[in-house]
Each structure stands twice: as C-alpha cells, then as structure tokens.
Amino acid sequence: MAAKSDLWTRIGSALVLFAIAGTALWFGGIAFGLLLLVGGALVVVEWLALVRGMPLGGGAKMLLNILGPLAILGAMAGLWFIRDHLGMTAALWVFGMVWATDIGAYFAGRAFGGARLAPKISPSKTWSGLIGGMIAALVVGSTIADRGGITGVPLWIGLAMGLVAQLGDLGESWMKRRAGVKDSGKLIPGHGGLFDRVDGLLPVALILGALAFAGQIAVRAAG
C-alpha cells in the first residue's frame, strides 16, 4: 500500500507541475518569466545546499558556488529568450528534446539493459539508455524543428542535446552522491527537489539559449 500511495503522490505532483509550467509557457511574457525567476532561485538554493554538503576543498566549493548559480540563471534566461523571441514552438522544441531523452533512455535501458554507463555515480543508467535517449531526442527534435519552421540548427542537434541532457543528469547524480543525499531537496512530494526535475534541461537550455541569442537559431515566418 505504501508503494501504491507513493506512486499516486508522484503522479499528482507531476500533474500539478505540468499544469503550472504548461500554463506559464502558453501565456509566455511575464507569466513565463516569473516562473523561470522563481524556479531558478529555488534550484540555486538546492545547488548551494548540495555543494555545502560535499567534501571538497574551499577553493572547489567557492568555484561551484559561483559557476553553478551563474549557469542556472543563464539557462533560465535562455529559456525566456527562446520563448519570448522565437515563440512557443521553439520553446516546445527545447522541452521536447529533453522529455524525449528521459523517456527514450528509460525504455531503451529497460528493454536492452547491458553495460552500466557510470556505476559509481548512477548504477541504474546504461549505455543502451544513453543511446536510446539520444535517438529519441533526435527524432522528436528534428520533427518539431521541421514542422515548426525552426532553422539554423543541424539535423544532429537532437543527438547532441540528448547527450547533454544525460550528462546534466549524471552531473547532479555525482553531486548528490558526494553530498550523501538521495534528492536535491524535498520541495516536490514524491519527486524530491526541483533540481532533480530539471537537471537535464538546464545545460540544454543554456546551450540553445546562447545559440538563439547569437542568432544561430531562428523560426521561419509562416506563409
């Protein structure tokens, strides 16, 4: 019964998060910007707590305490820029590749199993999951880009972002293992912290946001 109750808690939390994020994404503008501002601040708090619990030297901790928050806020700014300047489809393209990576990695890992990707960091992850996640991101990313008129990105960008998302996940797993904790926080019932939910999204948003800001990604005008 406890396991079933936990499952329903996870599902309920996921639905609430999806509703909040989806509504803000739909309206864009101030609503989406406020969501990113609050979410980014919460992730920074969780990041700093993880670093505080890691057995690292003072210099290494200082570096992580500076670079981490800057990267997190940069990722949030990248998401805002993509949604505000390129539109809803471009934002869904970013989210879609990350979601596809998670789903593809999960099912490929369960279906094919095989050698562990990084057993000392995240024992459940496999090389088959890594490849499956990258392929799923490629398929979803190229489909949304083609139908949504997103230009300026090569076909293989989905493969690259599928890899980046999983590296972000592994990076957070390494931090949690070093800090001796299971989750980055307790904000989301059944899921842990917000950082646990966006660890793969952050590096993808940072990279694609920078490319969009540099004018390397555009959306073809309709008609």
Side-chain angles (χ1 to χ4, degrees):
M1 291 295 292
K4 186 175 182 181
S5 175
D6 183 63
L7 174 62
W8 282 111
T9 299
R10 289 176 62 85
I11 292 174
S13 296
L15 290 175
V16 171
L17 286 174
F18 184 80
I20 293 173
T23 300
L25 181 62
W26 174 267
F27 284 103
I30 295 176
F32 191 55
L34 183 60
L35 175 69
L36 294 176
L37 182 63
V38 173
L42 291 172
V43 175
V44 166
V45 170
E46 293 178 359
W47 172 283
L48 295 176
L50 284 178
V51 174
R52 188 164 56 248
M54 295 168 65
L56 300 173
K61 283 195 175 186
M62 181 179 295
L63 189 62
L64 287 174
N65 281 334
I66 294 173
L67 295 182
L70 287 177
I72 291 166
L73 296 179
M76 297 301 169
L79 284 174
W80 177 83
F81 185 86
I82 289 172
R83 173 63 181 91
D84 192 63
H85 291 268
L86 300 184
M88 170 83 110
T89 300
L92 289 176
W93 172 65
V94 177
F95 284 105
M97 285 190 288
V98 176
W99 293 334
T101 298
D102 289 341
I103 295 170
Y106 175 79
F107 283 105
R110 287 184 64 87
F112 301 107
R116 302 297 173 181
L117 177 62
K120 292 185 178 181
I121 299 176
S122 184
S124 64
K125 290 181 172 55
T126 61
W127 283 98
S128 61
L130 174 70
I131 295 170
M134 292 172 65
I135 293 174
L138 170 65
V139 172
V140 171
S142 60
T143 300
I144 296 176
D146 179 63
R147 297 187 178 182
I150 299 170
T151 62
V153 291
L155 178 64
W156 51 262
I157 194 70
L159 284 175
M161 293 303 101
L163 174 61
V164 167
Q166 293 182 78
L167 289 177
D169 191 331
L170 280 175
E172 196 218 359
S173 293
W174 174 80
M175 292 181 69
K176 290 189 294 186
R177 185 166 289 271
R178 293 283 287 171
V181 297
K182 181 179 180 294
D183 300 310
S184 65
K186 299 180 180 179
L187 179 67
I188 308 170
H191 289 269
L194 185 58
F195 188 21
D196 294 317
R197 301 277 60 83
V198 300
D199 51 8
L201 175 64
L202 293 173
V204 171
L206 184 63
I207 293 172
L208 295 181
L211 289 175
F213 185 76
Q216 298 302 306
I217 300 174
V219 176
R220 187 170 54 248

